[in-house]
Amino acid sequence: MKNSLNKTARWSTLALALGIMSAISVQGLAAINWPGGGGNNGTTKKSKDYRRGYKLAQEDCVKAPKDCQVLLEDVVANPGWGETEPNDNPGAADRLFLNRFYKGNSLDKFDKDWYYVGSLKPNQNLIINFLGDQADYTATTGWIVKVHDSNGNVIAAFDSTSTGPGDVSRPGDNPDDVINPDDPILAKTPLSDAKIILVTLGNPGRYYISVETNEDDLGANRGYHIAAMISESDQISPNPDTNFSDVETESNDTQETADPLRSNVHMFGVFGRKIVNFFVPPGPPEYEIGWFYVGCNPLDISTMPVGLGSCECDTTSVDNNGDINPPNPNNVPSQSPSDACEARQVQVPGTGTDTGTWFSAFDYDNDWFKFVSSGNEQLKFEMCAKGACDFARVHLKVIYANESEILINTPITPGWTFDFGVVRSGTYFFELSPEPVDGEGDSAGNVDPNTGIHTVDDLTGPYNFVLRSTKLPPNGN
């Protein structure tokens, strides 16, 4: 391969004087004025042929700089701009003047560098150019580059790894290169394949760019270069004021406070619980009939049959005639139950309290949501579709409000999907609540006899779901 150092140097000088588009073949972008670049100071008047050729070369190289062998790193070897530490939050962000490269560094795995740019019109393109340090510009791997709105919300995130070949070459490195020893020696730099990030900004205003090391901490203790440009896009649709997802608003524990749902928008919420103290008032004693030995006084041990500690008749100790054998050592003949025992009214153990009792219990969330349907369509409800939920199950109830018709009333587990059709137009309510404890018969949904509280599965922590309105009629209708 043969290279002309004069030609390459001329193109590089042209790039320094004029500024070359980054990335390098992204069309419709303003030229970047790379720091360190310069040009003719105007002291020497050029001929018409020179100016004409200069203009033609300028136009050709701006359109296709890589074809002219004008490389990005030819004009960025000495950036004069840099971040100022600390700039680890939006309040301390460094301004990125457009079309200039800035040098930054990640001090450690916890360092997060913030910059900001401004967009003057809706739907403008933000182009971010990301390079490694001077030692190896193509070593861009190791960072996460994020774009934030004016409030710091993340609207885009990118891995910094470049998809370029990352070759490092210069005229004269190849044994087959023919060079002129009088030509200048160019810096040994890689091909212009920086990490190029393009984000269309929906609204005018301030936007932030953050750079942080990735989860493997590969960017820690390393330098990088970053530049930003703004250009027009062909996007003309308005950008609504919305977010990636929606969230519940507390309290939404009743139908009247239900949060509205939008089709295909993931809803995030949190099941909470609180300790509730309540008072159980004094209760009257309950009585029952018991059988006791005749003449036996529970307060006088001498009246109790020998060997017993109470006066209760042992009705299981009978002879062949059905008579009770008195438990005493005097061999008293057996007696009929009516002679040996007598009936007495006694208080049922555990009943009757002179004072009330305080109890504590968990009060769990019942979260309500509502969706307005045009009717005659299939709805799809997916539980925990955009993240894990820590609970085992939750109870779902779907109610048609106008006639209080219950469509769904069943427990569901994370990952489940319900597809169901609705016929009538109107508002449909969705209730998520704790599920009663498993069991059969009396053990299903146990009720504490002292407090009257239903036993339910524990239901705490974050959750998410999505409702999709298909607008497609069910085949069954």
Side-chain angles (χ1 to χ4, degrees), residues 207-386:
Y207 288 86
Y208 293 94
I209 303 168
S210 66
V211 179
E212 59 186 301
T213 184
N214 64 13
E215 60 183 10
D216 296 323
D217 301 328
L218 297 179
N221 310 115
R222 292 175 56 198
Y224 61 85
H225 294 83
I226 187 170
M229 301 194 323
I230 295 290
S231 70
E232 302 302 322
S233 75
D234 295 328
Q235 176 65 268
I236 60 174
S237 62
N239 189 43
D241 185 15
T242 186
N243 210 327
F244 293 99
S245 58
D246 208 346
V247 294
E248 65 159 337
T249 56
E250 292 287 2
S251 63
N252 59 337
D253 297 347
T254 64
Q255 286 192 25
E256 290 73 21
T257 58
D259 286 319
L261 297 176
R262 290 178 295 161
S263 176
N264 291 295
V265 177
H266 288 264
M267 175 66 70
F268 286 79
V270 177
F271 288 124
R273 67 181 184 184
K274 59 183 178 181
I275 296 180
V276 177
N277 298 318
F278 56 96
F279 182 71
V280 176
E286 298 178 11
Y287 293 93
E288 63 182 2
I289 300 299
W291 291 90
F292 300 86
Y293 289 110
V294 175
C296 182
N297 184 355
L299 300 179
D300 186 355
I301 193 173
S302 64
T303 63
M304 295 182 184
V306 177
L308 296 184
S310 70
C311 295
E312 293 185 24
C313 281
D314 183 7
T315 56
T316 62
S317 179
V318 296
D319 58 16
N320 294 332
N321 298 321
D323 294 334
I324 292 178
N325 296 313
N328 60 65
N330 300 323
N331 295 321
V332 177
S334 300
Q335 297 176 298
S336 65
S338 59
D339 294 330
C341 303
E342 61 182 357
R344 301 178 189 173
Q345 189 178 49
V346 294
Q347 182 177 335
V348 176
T351 62
T353 56
D354 296 332
T355 59
T357 306
W358 283 96
F359 291 91
S360 297
F362 286 120
D363 181 22
Y364 291 91
D365 266 350
N366 282 39
D367 291 344
W368 284 83
F369 304 90
K370 61 184 178 182
F371 178 75
V372 178
S373 171
S374 56
N376 192 32
E377 68 167 327
Q378 181 178 351
L379 299 179
K380 178 187 291 286
F381 182 94
E382 296 182 59
M383 193 71 204
C384 304
K386 203 175 183 180

Side-chain angles (χ1 to χ4, degrees), residues 354-427:
D354 296 332
T355 59
T357 306
W358 283 96
F359 291 91
S360 297
F362 286 120
D363 181 22
Y364 291 91
D365 266 350
N366 282 39
D367 291 344
W368 284 83
F369 304 90
K370 61 184 178 182
F371 178 75
V372 178
S373 171
S374 56
N376 192 32
E377 68 167 327
Q378 181 178 351
L379 299 179
K380 178 187 291 286
F381 182 94
E382 296 182 59
M383 193 71 204
C384 304
K386 203 175 183 180
C389 298
D390 293 335
F391 50 84
R393 60 180 184 165
V394 62
H395 195 90
L396 171 66
K397 182 184 290 185
V398 181
I399 301 175
Y400 179 61
N402 294 348
E403 299 182 11
S404 298
E405 178 183 347
I406 299 177
L407 280 71
I408 296 176
N409 190 22
T410 184
I412 62 174
T413 60
W416 278 25
T417 299
F418 271 104
D419 288 279
F420 59 99
V422 295
V423 176
R424 290 179 288 275
S425 62
T427 302

